[in-house]
Amino acid sequence: MKNKPDIIVMIDAALKLEGEDSGSVAQGFGAAIGGIGTDRFQIEEIATKNNIPIYAVVIKQSVKEAITLMTKQISDKAESVESQVFQIILENTKPNQSALIVGVGNTLGVPQ
């Protein structure tokens, strides 16, 4: 694979469980992308074949929050998530290695 990243970091929203706070942040491994699972499977299959670890950062929210305008409570987590992404990169790459950062859905607009 030409120009292969050394790690992938995916950022997305996730539905919160009852009792969890909106805007809480969780980290994990594997493709962070909603839907029926086909995209997730394909991303993880290609990454596995090419020995590329995938790290996930998700911001928890309710179903209502997922289909309406982003709340301030969730928006206020942008800096925290940014710091966590940088920390993941620092801890899991060496100098001159590359990281592919994938903002899924509305996370694409957060830096703007």
Side-chain angles (χ1 to χ4, degrees), residues 30 57 65 91 102:
V57 179
E65 290 167 324
E91 291 175 359
V102 181

Side-chain angles (χ1 to χ4, degrees), residues 11-58:
I11 308 155
D12 197 6
L15 290 179
K16 68 180 184 131
L17 300 173
E18 188 175 330
E20 288 185 304
D21 293 330
S22 288
S24 60
V25 179
Q27 290 186 21
F29 302 96
I33 187 168
I36 59 173
T38 305
D39 294 333
R40 184 178 313 112
F41 174 80
Q42 290 174 341
I43 292 166
E44 290 178 351
E45 180 181 40
I46 291 168
T48 300
K49 283 181 182 177
N50 290 283
N51 200 30
I52 305 168
I54 304 175
Y55 300 89
V57 179
V58 295

Side-chain angles (χ1 to χ4, degrees), residues 1-5 50 52:
M1 177 185 267
K2 187 177 179 183
N3 298 323
K4 174 179 88 91
N50 290 283
I52 305 168

